[in-house]
């Protein structure tokens, strides 16, 4: 039996919403167990009769690539069960997780006695047969979840009247959900994680009294919640989150007395949460986060005595925390973050909530002191009270929370940092401590006992930014051997940058920006284990945090991380007074992603060794005193998407090729000595220093004198030879002319060797779907306006992509590869032809290639909406137009295309350059990966 019938997580899309509680409510195992028993009762027993010949032929036509030839009796085949009668008809086809591929063949509709069909967790493609539901009228269980099925659902015409379980989740179905498929007999209906649009398929006069489980989440539904939902009297689970549903909660939904889970997050629902919700006395999970609900939380919501998970964050709720919540003694998760709630938090009595494990009240307007009653909730593992108006000090009673692992009370008005640290070191299991923007202008605690073995030894994240702390970086931090992330930014810390930070074996993220640090960049810091060793980097803890952390790098919005392993390894040292040269040892930090040394006083040249940082995504060296040239080797940093050396004293030609073709003039401004694109100095002057110029003039004079003398002698000699030749008689007359013609003929042949003719041909693959079947290099040059910069539509680590518009209106994309990629001519052709075999709905089709004048061109289909990078970073308001469902579809499409390349395509292809600029979007915002890889 497959667990896919009621999947709890959408594994296929790899979507992780950090704020969703991952704990399964206690009722769900019992609910699933009941469903399992229910389905097991539906399963027929094994049969002893020989199978029907028609069914056998239909099964063989499915071409499922299974070892079904070992027996002539198909009732004995793997995954097949036949009825216990004389006819031997196949009633059960149960083949989940078999690695099956291809389309579902129409011959499946010949299995007219089929009652149970499970092909889940395979890789079936294409659409369903048109008569699947109308022909298989005996079906009771259908599970086709976690495949790659597409298109609209076939009509059912109410013929599947016996259907009880339908699971089509995690596919690519689209269109509307036909109401006829939700027949009255259905108990479990799951079409989540697709691309369905339109309305919820429940009419106001529907009869769905058998329905217990309804999951419509992760689609594109865009209507209101129909009042008819209230007629589903036995409904226990209703999920329709991550759609675009609008309107308010219909009053009828509060008639569902058996409802245990109501999950409608990330929609456009609005209005108040009215008191009718108190009728849902069996409710255990209420998820309404990321909507537009307003008004107060119902004052009597605590009367829902079975409530375990209440997630109302990211709405417009107002008013105080309802006192009745103290009656919800089974409450495990309470998340009200990002609302407009008010009131004195210390007046609320948390002590009855003994099962509370996660409390998030961040980003509200609560006042008062930290509530001491909270310290009675001994099950708490995570507390966030950040971004409120809390005052006072941390009480010693907090150490009673022995399970506390996550504590964030940043951006409040707390005082006495030294006392707070001494108390909090008693929380032995604390792994994440965020105290930023408190303790203003206090000295940074420097009590060496804070690093003792009995304090902070479990700490992985320590954030103290924006406190305006004075003093130096405390040395006791060097004893926190599990520390991975350290934020001391926006303080008044003085002294030198401590090299002993490299002694912390797990540290990979340092932010000491916006302080008063002086001195040089210590060589010891270039030896940070996690940033220099793959073995140490692989050991970074990949477990989930109890609550997400938020990081706000310069020029970016808040970024949310639920796993520390997703946080980019970084060193932020901007806005200090660091000086001296950048050490060449910095090239050892091979696993760093962000290096920001801007707004300091660094001098000397940019180390060529920075090119060893092959994972670097952001490099900011602006506003320093650096001199010399920009190392050409930096163009080999294929993942570099943000680069600035502005306002230094750099000179020479700006490197071209690679990612440097994507950087604007802002990356180089303030360096008058720099030249070449994209600066205003398109060419570099060939000037010489005065001494060199004098030497050059002297050499020139000597050269001219010698040349003139040699020329006179040469002319005299040639005249003598000519005069002598006129006196000589040559037999045969025209011999000299013949030799000249012959020489000219050989020279002409040498100018155009056969190889050059061959490599200028444009090879168009047979799979080309465009109208143009034959191309010449001249047509490509004309279509791209000789690769004019105005036609650039994308970029990547291996070259630029140009729009090519041909005379007949056809448009293609031409990628002009930079460098030689280490390939000889024959190898390049073989590799490109191997890439052309990759055909998938999420891959930009490779239409052909060409080698012209040493430049390699790849020809692709044209994508109307350009690149994802364009929408995220270049188009005005582009990012705001990519709503959550669209972003989800893009991520899903890119993931499927990459999975096809890496796992399914033969030969397998390693992409090598995944980034937003190589994810293109068609007219429906379907993600299409631009292929540039290595077969193997």
């Amino acid at each position: 039996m497959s667990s896919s019938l009621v999947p709890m997580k959408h594994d296929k899309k790899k979507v992780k919403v950090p704020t969703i509680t991952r704990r399964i409510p206690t009722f769900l195992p019992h609910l699933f167990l009941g469903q399992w028993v229910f389905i097991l009762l539906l399963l027929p027993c094994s049969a002893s009769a020989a199978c029907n010949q028609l069914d056998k032929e239909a099964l063989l036509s499915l071409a499922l690539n299974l070892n079904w030839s070992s027996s002539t009796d198909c009732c004995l085949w793997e995954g097949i069960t036949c009825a216990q009668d004389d006819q031997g008809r196949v009633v059960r086809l149960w083949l989940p997780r078999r690695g099956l591929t291809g389309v579902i063949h129409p011959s499946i509709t010949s299995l007219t006695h089929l009652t149970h069909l499970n092909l889940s967790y395979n890789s079936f493609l294409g659409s369903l047969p048109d008569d699947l539901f109308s022909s298989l009228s005996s079906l009771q269980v259908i599970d086709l979840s976690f495949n790659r099925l597409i298109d609209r659902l076939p009509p059912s015409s109410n013929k599947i009247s016996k259907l009880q379980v339908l699971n089509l989740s995690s596919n690519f179905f689209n269109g509307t959900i036909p109401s006829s498929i939700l027949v009255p007999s259905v108990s479990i209906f799951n079409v989540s994680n697709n691309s369905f649009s339109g309305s919820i398929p429940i009419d106001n006069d529907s009869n769905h009294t058998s329905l217990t489980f309804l999951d419509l989440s992760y689609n594109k539904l865009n209507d209101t919640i129909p009042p008819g939902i209230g007629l589903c009297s036995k409904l226990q689970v209703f999920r329709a989150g991550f759609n675009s549903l609008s309107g308010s909660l219909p009053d009828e939904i509060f008639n569902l007395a058996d409802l245990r889970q109501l999950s409608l997050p990330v929609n456009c629902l609005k209005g108040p949460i009215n008191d009718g919700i108190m009728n849902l006395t069996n409710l255990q999970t209420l998820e309404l986060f990321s909507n537009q609900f307003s008004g107060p939380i119902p004052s009597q919501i605590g009367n829902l005595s079975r409530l375990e998970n209440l997630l109302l964050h990211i709405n417009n709720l107002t008013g105080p925390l309802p006192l009745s919540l103290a009656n919800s003694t089974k409450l495990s998760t309470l998340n009200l973050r990002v609302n407009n709630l008010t009131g004195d938090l210390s007046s609320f009595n948390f002590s009855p909530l003994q099962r509370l494990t996660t409390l998030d009240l961040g980003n509200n307007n609560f006042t008062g002191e930290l509530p001491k009653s909270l310290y009675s909730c001994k099950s708490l593992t995570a507390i966030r009270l950040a971004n409120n108006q809390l005052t006072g000090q941390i009480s010693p009673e907090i150490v009673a929370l022995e399970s506390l692992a996550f504590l964030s009370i940043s951006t409040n008005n707390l005082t006495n940092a030294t006392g707070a640290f001494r108390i909090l070191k008693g929380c032995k299991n604390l792994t994440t401590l965020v105290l930023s923007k408190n303790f203003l202008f206090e000295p940074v605690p420097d009590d060496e006992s804070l690093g003792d073995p009995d304090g902070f030894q479990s700490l992985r994240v320590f954030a103290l930014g924006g406190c305006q702390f004075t003093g130096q970086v405390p040395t006791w931090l060097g004893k926190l051997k599990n520390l991975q992330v350290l934020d001391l930014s926006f303080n008044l810390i003085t002294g030198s940058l401590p090299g002993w930070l490299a002694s912390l074996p797990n540290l990979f993220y340092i932010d000491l920006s916006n302080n008063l640090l002086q001195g040089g960049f210590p060589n010891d810091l270039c030896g940070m284990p996690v940033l220099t060793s793959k073995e140490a980097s692989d050991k970074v803890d990949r477990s989930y945090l109890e609550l997400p952390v938020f990081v706000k790098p310069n020029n970016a919005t808040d970024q949310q991380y639920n796993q520390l392993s997703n946080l980019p390894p970084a060193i932020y040292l901007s806005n200090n007074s660091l000086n001296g040269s950048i050490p060449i040892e910095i090239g050892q930090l091979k696993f760093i992603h962000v290096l920001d040394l801007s707004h300091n006083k660094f001098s000397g040249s940019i180390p060529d060794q920075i090119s060893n940082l092959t994972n670097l995504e952001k490099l900011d060296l602006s506003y320093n005193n650096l001199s010399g040239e920009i190392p050409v080797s930096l163009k080999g940093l294929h993942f570099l998407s943000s680069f600035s050396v502005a306002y230094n004293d750099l000179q020479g030609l700006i490197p071209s090729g690679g990612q440097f073709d994507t950087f604007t003039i802002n990356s180089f401004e303030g360096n008058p000595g720099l030249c070449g694109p994209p600066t205003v100095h398109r060419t570099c002057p060939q000037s010489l220093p005065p001494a060199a110029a004098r030497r050059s003039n002297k050499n020139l004079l000597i050269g001219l004198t010698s040349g003139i003398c040699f020329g006179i002698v040469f002319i005299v000699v040639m005249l003598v030879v000519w005069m002598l030749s006129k006196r000589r008689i040559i037999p045969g007359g025209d011999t000299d002319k013949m030799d000249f013609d012959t020489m000219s003929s050989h020279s002409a042949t040498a100018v155009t060797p056969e190889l050059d003719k061959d490599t200028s041909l444009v090879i168009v693959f047979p799979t080309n779907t465009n109208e143009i079947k034959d191309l010449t290099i001249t047509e490509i040059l004309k279509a791209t306006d000789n690769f004019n910069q105005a036609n650039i539509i994308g970029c990547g680590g291996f070259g630029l992509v140009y729009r090519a518009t041909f005379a007949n209106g056809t448009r293609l994309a031409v990628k002009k590869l930079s460098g030689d990629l280490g390939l000889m001519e024959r190898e390049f052709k073989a590799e490109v032809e191997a890439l052309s075999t990759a055909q998938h709905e999420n891959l930009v089709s490779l239409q052909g290639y060409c080698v012209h004048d040493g430049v390699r061109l790849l020809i692709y289909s044209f994508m109307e909406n350009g690149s994802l990078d364009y929408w995220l970073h270049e188009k005005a308001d582009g990012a705001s137009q990519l709503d959550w469902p669209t972003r989800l579809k893009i991520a899903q499409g890119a993931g499927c295309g990459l999975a096809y390349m890496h796992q399914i395509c033969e030969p397998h292809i390693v992409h090598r350059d995944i980034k937003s600029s190589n994810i293109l979007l068609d007219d429906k915002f379907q993600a299409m990966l631009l292929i540039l890889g290595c077969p193997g």
Side-chain angles (χ1 to χ4, degrees):
M1 189 68 69
S2 169
S3 63
S4 63
L5 286 170
V6 195
M8 285 301 300
K9 296 179 181 178
H10 303 272
D11 294 333
K12 178 179 177 183
K13 289 188 179 181
K14 300 293 181 188
V15 173
K16 176 80 176 119
V17 181
T19 52
I20 294 180
T21 302
R22 292 295 166 182
R23 185 175 295 99
I24 298 176
T26 54
F27 77 89
L28 288 180
H30 302 294
L31 174 63
F32 295 162
L33 179 61
Q35 291 171 350
W36 284 119
V37 173
F38 171 70
I39 294 169
L40 286 170
L41 292 174
L42 295 175
L43 293 177
C45 301
S46 298
S48 57
C51 75
N52 180 277
Q53 184 63 28
L54 293 176
D55 287 352
K56 180 178 180 180
E57 293 175 358
L59 289 171
L60 291 174
S61 297
L62 293 178
L64 295 181
N65 197 27
L66 294 169
N67 187 22
W68 278 353
S69 59
S70 58
S71 173
T72 57
D73 185 359
C74 68
C75 294
L76 302 178
W77 290 353
E78 177 187 2
I80 305 300
T81 303
C82 299
Q84 292 183 350
D85 54 28
D86 295 337
Q87 297 181 9
R89 300 303 298 265
V90 172
V91 296
R92 182 174 183 262
L93 178 58
W94 204 265
L95 294 168
R97 300 181 186 273
R98 297 301 201 281
L100 305 176
T101 59
V103 299
I104 298 179
H105 196 273
S107 63
I108 197 172
T109 60
S110 299
L111 304 173
T112 55
H113 286 65
L114 201 62
T115 61
H116 292 72
L117 174 62
N118 187 348
L119 299 175
S120 63
Y121 288 91
N122 285 292
S123 299
F124 286 108
L125 304 168
S127 55
L128 295 177
D130 290 338
D131 55 344
L132 178 68
F133 296 136
S134 58
S135 297
L136 304 181
S137 58
S138 298
L139 279 172
Q140 299 175 33
V141 175
I142 302 176
D143 190 350
L144 301 175
S145 61
F146 290 89
N147 280 283
R148 302 175 183 179
L149 300 169
I150 62 171
D151 219 339
R152 295 174 174 265
L153 294 181
S156 63
S157 304
N158 290 316
K159 290 188 177 181
I160 48 175
S161 58
K162 299 178 182 179
L163 188 64
Q164 299 177 39
V165 176
L166 178 64
N167 190 351
L168 302 176
S169 63
S170 297
N171 280 284
F172 301 102
F173 293 118
N174 56 38
T176 59
I177 305 173
S179 57
S180 59
I181 201 172
L182 190 53
V183 294
S185 59
V186 169
S187 173
I188 301 171
F189 187 84
N190 188 350
V191 293
S192 63
N193 209 11
N194 281 283
S195 297
F196 289 116
S197 57
S199 306
I200 294 176
I202 293 179
D203 300 327
N204 294 338
D205 56 352
S206 299
N207 178 20
H208 298 297
T209 55
S210 298
L211 192 62
T212 62
F213 183 97
L214 176 61
D215 194 345
L216 309 171
S217 55
Y218 294 94
N219 279 287
K220 301 177 181 178
L221 304 177
N222 52 13
D223 207 341
T224 59
I225 299 175
I229 193 73
L231 300 176
C232 304
S233 56
K234 293 184 180 179
L235 193 62
Q236 297 180 30
V237 175
F238 177 34
R239 298 176 183 159
F242 299 89
N243 282 284
S244 298
L245 297 173
S246 58
S248 59
L249 292 177
D251 292 338
E252 290 80 0
I253 202 171
F254 303 127
N255 297 331
L256 302 175
D258 288 341
L259 197 64
R260 301 182 183 183
Q261 181 180 6
L262 178 59
S263 179
L264 301 171
V266 194
N267 279 289
C268 302
L269 301 171
K270 59 185 180 180
I273 304 172
N274 65 46
D275 291 337
I277 202 167
M278 249 59 73
N279 297 330
L280 305 180
T281 54
N282 287 302
L283 198 63
Q284 297 180 10
T285 295
L286 178 60
E287 295 179 331
L288 300 178
F289 62 87
S290 293
N291 280 286
Q292 300 169 24
F293 289 111
S294 57
I297 300 173
S299 60
Q300 299 303 314
I301 195 169
N303 293 343
L304 300 177
S305 58
R306 299 187 179 184
L307 196 62
E308 297 178 6
N309 302 288
L310 179 59
L311 295 93
L312 304 179
H313 50 287
I314 315 178
N315 279 288
N316 299 312
L317 300 175
T318 57
L321 203 60
L323 297 178
S324 67
L325 267 177
N327 300 327
S328 299
T329 55
K330 294 185 178 180
L331 200 62
S332 172
T333 300
L334 176 60
N335 194 337
L336 304 176
R337 177 172 61 86
V338 192
N339 279 287
N340 296 305
L341 301 175
T342 57
D344 186 346
L345 197 59
S346 58
S347 66
F348 185 88
N349 184 17
F350 287 93
S351 56
L353 306 180
Q354 291 299 304
R355 297 188 183 183
L356 192 64
T357 61
T358 302
L359 174 66
D360 194 342
L361 302 178
N363 296 82
N364 281 286
N365 296 306
F366 290 118
T367 58
E369 297 186 348
L370 296 177
K372 292 185 178 181
S373 62
L374 196 59
Y375 307 143
S376 300
C377 304
K378 301 297 179 61
S379 298
L380 273 170
T381 60
I383 300 173
R384 192 203 313 273
L385 302 175
N387 290 88
N388 281 286
Q389 301 173 35
L390 302 177
T391 58
Q393 302 181 21
I394 294 177
S395 170
E397 297 173 61
I398 196 172
V399 298
L401 302 179
E402 296 180 355
S403 299
L404 189 63
F406 184 106
L407 178 62
S408 173
I409 46 180
S410 62
T411 317
N412 282 286
N413 298 303
L414 302 182
T415 58
N416 191 6
T418 300
F421 285 25
R422 288 172 178 169
I423 292 169
L424 290 172
K425 80 170 187 176
C427 297
K428 307 298 184 185
N429 291 308
L430 204 57
T431 60
T432 301
L433 181 56
V434 183
L435 301 175
S436 303
K437 295 187 178 180
N438 285 289
F439 318 114
L440 292 182
F441 299 103
E442 295 185 19
V444 61
D446 60 356
D447 186 349
E448 286 297 320
S449 67
L450 295 175
D452 288 350
D454 62 342
F456 293 132
Q457 290 305 310
S458 298
L459 206 59
R460 293 186 290 156
V461 178
F462 200 9
L464 301 171
C467 294
Q468 301 297 310
F469 277 134
T470 60
Q472 299 188 2
V473 179
T475 56
W476 57 266
L477 290 175
K479 301 177 182 179
L480 309 185
K481 299 303 181 184
N482 286 306
L483 195 62
Q484 299 180 29
V485 176
L486 176 62
D487 179 9
L488 290 171
S489 61
F490 290 92
N491 284 294
L492 302 173
I493 294 175
T494 57
S496 60
L497 181 62
W500 51 257
L501 287 173
S503 67
L504 297 174
N506 297 295
L507 188 64
F508 69 87
Y509 185 101
I510 300 174
D511 191 347
L512 282 165
S513 61
N514 294 275
N515 278 285
L516 304 173
L517 296 173
Q518 296 180 333
F521 191 108
N523 289 350
D524 292 344
L525 206 58
C526 300
M528 294 176 61
V530 179
L531 301 185
T532 58
S533 165
K534 186 178 188 304
E535 181 180 0
S537 178
D538 290 342
K539 290 181 179 178
V540 173
D541 193 345
R542 300 189 180 275
S543 60
Y544 287 97
L545 296 167
E546 291 73 17
L547 283 172
V549 294
F550 298 90
V551 179
K552 192 172 184 178
N554 294 336
N555 304 318
T557 56
D558 285 2
Q559 297 182 11
Q560 178 174 304
Y561 295 92
N562 213 40
Q563 278 182 295
L564 287 185
S565 58
N566 291 334
L567 193 66
I571 296 178
Y572 291 98
L573 298 175
S574 62
N575 288 283
N576 281 283
S577 297
L578 300 173
N579 53 39
S581 60
I582 301 173
I584 61 174
E585 289 81 5
I586 205 165
Q588 299 172 14
L589 303 174
K590 295 182 179 180
F591 297 93
I592 194 171
H593 288 199
V594 178
L595 179 61
D596 188 350
L597 306 180
S598 62
H599 292 269
N600 279 285
K601 300 177 181 178
F602 287 112
S603 58
S605 61
I606 299 174
D608 186 69
Q609 288 77 6
I610 290 181
S611 62
N612 294 334
L613 311 183
T614 52
N615 291 290
L616 203 59
E617 298 173 6
K618 175 182 178 180
L619 176 62
D620 193 346
L621 304 176
S622 61
Y623 291 92
N624 280 285
N625 301 316
L626 299 172
S627 57
E629 297 184 348
I630 301 174
V632 177
S633 59
L634 295 187
K635 70 179 184 180
L637 299 176
H638 297 304
F639 295 105
L640 194 62
S641 58
S642 177
F643 175 77
S644 179
V645 290
Y647 296 97
N648 281 281
D649 191 23
L650 298 172
Q651 298 180 346
L653 182 65
I654 294 175
S656 61
Q659 291 300 97
F660 273 81
D661 289 342
T662 71
F663 301 139
T664 65
I665 190 173
N666 295 333
S667 297
F668 308 99
E669 63 185 354
N671 292 278
L674 287 179
C675 53
T679 68
V680 294
H681 308 294
R682 307 294 292 183
T683 58
C684 294
Q686 300 296 320
S687 60
L688 293 170
R694 286 193 298 270
R695 288 194 299 269
S696 178
N697 291 338
K698 182 178 180 180
N699 293 337
L700 181 61
L701 182 60
I702 295 173
L704 284 174
T705 303
S706 301
I708 292 172
C709 294
F710 176 80
I712 294 173
V713 172
F714 178 77
I715 292 172
V716 171
V717 171
M718 291 303 295
L719 285 173
V720 172
V721 171
W722 177 77
M723 291 170 62
L724 291 175
S725 63
K726 296 297 288 181
R727 298 181 182 181
R728 184 182 303 168
I729 299 173
I730 305 176
D734 269 348
T735 302
D736 286 338
K737 184 177 180 180
M738 290 175 55
D739 288 342
F740 179 79
D741 289 346
T742 303
M743 186 177 297
S744 299
S745 176
H746 289 315
S747 299
T749 305
V751 170
T752 55
E754 187 62 29
L755 178 63
D756 195 63
K757 291 179 182 179
D758 179 62
T759 54
S760 292
L761 293 176
V762 179
I763 306 300
V764 180
F765 297 123
T767 55
N768 170 40
T769 57
N770 290 280
E771 296 179 5
I772 295 181
K773 298 300 180 182
D774 296 305
L775 286 177
T776 65
I777 187 60
T778 303
E779 290 174 316
I780 291 178
L781 292 174
K782 183 177 180 181
T784 59
D785 193 13
N786 202 21
F787 294 105
N788 192 299
Q789 189 172 359
N791 284 319
I792 295 177
I793 57 175
C795 57
F798 298 106
L800 298 174
V801 184
Y802 295 82
R803 180 194 302 106
T805 305
F806 294 89
N808 66 352
T810 299
R811 290 194 290 181
L812 294 174
V814 180
K815 184 155 192 170
K816 185 178 180 183
L817 299 182
S818 57
D820 60 8
L821 302 182
L823 298 177
M824 299 296 290
E825 203 68 51
R826 190 173 301 171
E827 293 170 333
F828 172 73
K829 293 179 180 179
E831 176 167 321
V832 169
E833 289 176 2
L835 293 178
S836 71
T837 62
Q839 300 292 322
H840 187 268
E841 60 182 347
N842 293 113
L843 298 183
V844 182
S845 298
L846 183 60
Q847 305 288 343
Y849 70 92
C850 175
V851 179
H852 174 69
D853 285 344
V855 176
R856 293 130 194 263
L857 307 177
L858 298 179
I859 304 169
Y860 297 92
S861 301
F862 181 78
M863 295 293 109
E864 293 292 336
N865 274 319
S867 71
L868 177 60
D869 180 78
Y870 168 74
W871 285 85
L872 291 177
H873 305 300
E874 296 181 30
K875 180 177 172 60
D877 298 326
S880 63
Q881 296 180 44
L882 297 180
D883 56 15
W884 172 252
T886 303
R887 290 171 184 248
L888 193 61
K889 179 172 75 171
I890 292 171
Q892 178 191 29
C896 289
L898 195 61
Y900 169 82
M901 292 174 63
H902 288 181
Q903 301 173 10
I904 300 173
C905 178
E906 291 295 340
H908 298 335
I909 297 174
V910 180
H911 192 284
R912 298 192 301 177
D913 197 23
I914 283 291
K915 55 174 44 177
S916 59
S917 56
N918 277 337
I919 299 176
L920 304 186
L921 305 173
D922 66 8
D923 56 345
K924 297 180 180 178
F925 284 92
Q926 180 76 18
M928 312 286 283
L929 285 184
L930 189 61
I931 308 175
L932 178 62
C934 179

